[in-house]
Amino acid sequence: MEITYYLYHIPGKKIGVTRNLNKRVTVAQGYQAGEYEVLESSNDIDYISSRELELQSVYGYKIDRKLYKQLFNQMNLNTTEQTTTFPCPVNKLKGMLMDNMGMEFMINDYRVILDGNTIKWIMENANTSMYNPNRCYVYNKALTEWYVNSITKWITSELEKPDTEPENKSYTTFQKIRSWAEDRGIYDKGDVKTQYVKLLEETGELAKSILKNDDEEFVDAIGDCVVVLTNLAKLKGYEIEDCIDHAYTIISKRQGQMVNGTFVKNKKSDWPHQSVSRTL
């Protein structure tokens, strides 16, 4: 399976690389989609590792001592179809895991990040190798099942949180996105065509998440699409809220039926005779 590496930028803080933006940047570091930007993405770990150091220098940040590719698997894990083995005895495992906090690794088709909860699970389920007492292991099936369940619970808890923000929550969020984009010169130097290409990239990530049945990536991709659509509308002189209201005015009057899982509207035209006002 081809892996995509993302070179992300938290303005004024850092430039880093990850394979999972939501888990690494949002969950682990606490930054929402509008508070960071993706500078580049690549399937080539050698390129992205060198590019990270290059951009850290260009932006004036502290340059990492090691390339990302060297940090990525510095524990030298041995992952087979059945188990993941760590190169140390159980009594030294927690220290090694803590030293690699934030590290990501693959277990079959799943990406796992070492955070506090993952480390706790590994410590509770690690077994000493019967072939080498200086090595220990966990069973992949048990780890991935726990990991997927924990992510699902986290997503559910986020969705079920009470709305404590202002009544006009969506508008406030869109304003934050526009403010973030304006600070970074997207509206001054941006281009509708490039933003559209960016949208296609994000919808591609959404398609991948659906094919993989990856709820975490699905949520992340939906959010990224909304951010790009917000900026795309602004570059054309519109507010996304007006676009949404305009679309709802149309669909609220539609009549039709479900056909093969898709709502098919009646042929009679339902386009209202009204226009969307520009904000210039």
Side-chain angles (χ1 to χ4, degrees):
M1 183 180 67
E2 196 170 43
I3 300 171
T4 300
Y5 302 96
Y6 298 95
L7 187 60
Y8 66 90
H9 177 215
I10 302 173
K13 300 292 184 181
K14 65 178 292 187
I15 285 176
V17 176
T18 184
R19 300 191 301 175
N20 189 321
L21 289 166
N22 186 59
K23 194 69 175 178
R24 181 66 179 273
V25 184
T26 300
V27 177
Q29 301 182 56
Y31 293 94
Q32 301 302 315
E35 298 177 307
Y36 68 91
E37 58 187 335
V38 176
L39 300 176
E40 292 185 32
S41 63
S42 175
N43 304 120
D44 186 341
I45 192 171
D46 292 315
Y47 168 78
I48 211 71
S49 298
S50 299
R51 185 63 170 157
E52 177 188 25
L53 303 191
E54 180 183 345
L55 289 181
Q56 284 174 345
S57 176
V58 170
Y59 280 74
Y61 294 118
K62 181 180 178 181
I63 301 176
D64 290 339
R65 294 180 179 180
K66 292 185 178 181
L67 293 170
Y68 172 76
K69 66 178 181 180
Q70 295 172 324
L71 296 173
F72 172 69
N73 198 13
Q74 61 184 359
M75 282 197 298
N76 193 27
L77 302 180
N78 180 23
T79 301
T80 65
E81 183 178 353
Q82 299 296 326
T83 62
T84 294
T85 301
F86 305 92
C88 67
V90 172
N91 63 352
K92 295 185 180 297
L93 179 59
K94 185 173 183 179
M96 176 177 285
L97 295 175
M98 293 298 292
D99 288 341
N100 288 275
M101 179 78 78
M103 169 183 165
E104 300 173 3
F105 56 96
M106 295 295 296
I107 295 182
N108 297 328
D109 290 332
Y110 294 93
R111 290 180 293 186
V112 176
I113 186 171
L114 277 180
D115 57 17
N117 291 329
T118 307
I119 291 174
K120 180 181 178 182
W121 187 94
I122 291 174
M123 291 305 303
E124 291 175 350
N125 293 274
N127 304 284
T128 298
S129 171
M130 62 183 297
Y131 304 106
N132 185 344
N134 290 318
R135 298 175 72 82
C136 56
Y137 67 94
V138 292
Y139 288 104
N140 292 339
K141 187 175 187 298
L143 174 54
T144 53
E145 286 182 353
W146 168 82
Y147 195 72
V148 170
N149 287 336
S150 67
I151 292 174
T152 302
K153 288 179 181 178
W154 176 80
I155 293 173
T156 301
S157 67
E158 289 295 305
L159 294 175
E160 292 178 349
K161 280 184 178 179
D163 185 3
T164 57
E165 295 191 24
E167 183 178 350
N168 203 359
K169 178 179 176 182
S170 295
Y171 183 73
T172 301
T173 302
F174 290 131
Q175 284 287 69
K176 289 179 180 178
I177 293 172
R178 286 190 288 266
S179 177
W180 167 83
E182 187 171 2
D183 289 344
R184 287 152 184 78
I186 292 177
Y187 300 144
D188 291 334
K189 302 177 182 178
D191 179 86
V192 172
K193 295 186 290 295
T194 57
Q195 282 296 304
Y196 176 68
V197 172
K198 180 66 175 174
L199 179 62
L200 294 180
E201 177 185 339
E202 300 300 349
T203 55
E205 293 296 320
L206 178 60
K208 285 167 59 178
S209 73
I210 294 172
L211 291 174
K212 295 189 297 181
N213 196 26
D214 189 330
D215 287 347
E216 182 184 3
E217 292 294 342
F218 177 83
V219 172
D220 188 57
I222 288 286
D224 287 340
C225 287
V226 172
V227 170
V228 177
L229 284 170
T230 301
N231 294 333
L232 185 58
K234 185 67 174 178
L235 283 167
K236 286 288 289 182
Y238 295 101
E239 303 291 333
I240 192 171
E241 300 93 324
D242 295 329
C243 297
I244 294 172
D245 289 342
H246 182 69
Y248 180 73
T249 300
I250 297 172
I251 66 173
S252 64
K253 297 178 175 62
R254 282 181 179 165
Q255 300 294 323
Q257 57 186 334
M258 293 296 294
V259 179
N260 296 326
T262 301
F263 180 79
V264 179
K265 67 178 181 178
N266 294 338
K267 292 184 178 181
K268 182 179 179 180
S269 175
D270 57 4
W271 184 268
H273 297 287
Q274 63 183 58
S275 62
V276 182
S277 62
R278 289 177 180 262
T279 303
L280 298 176

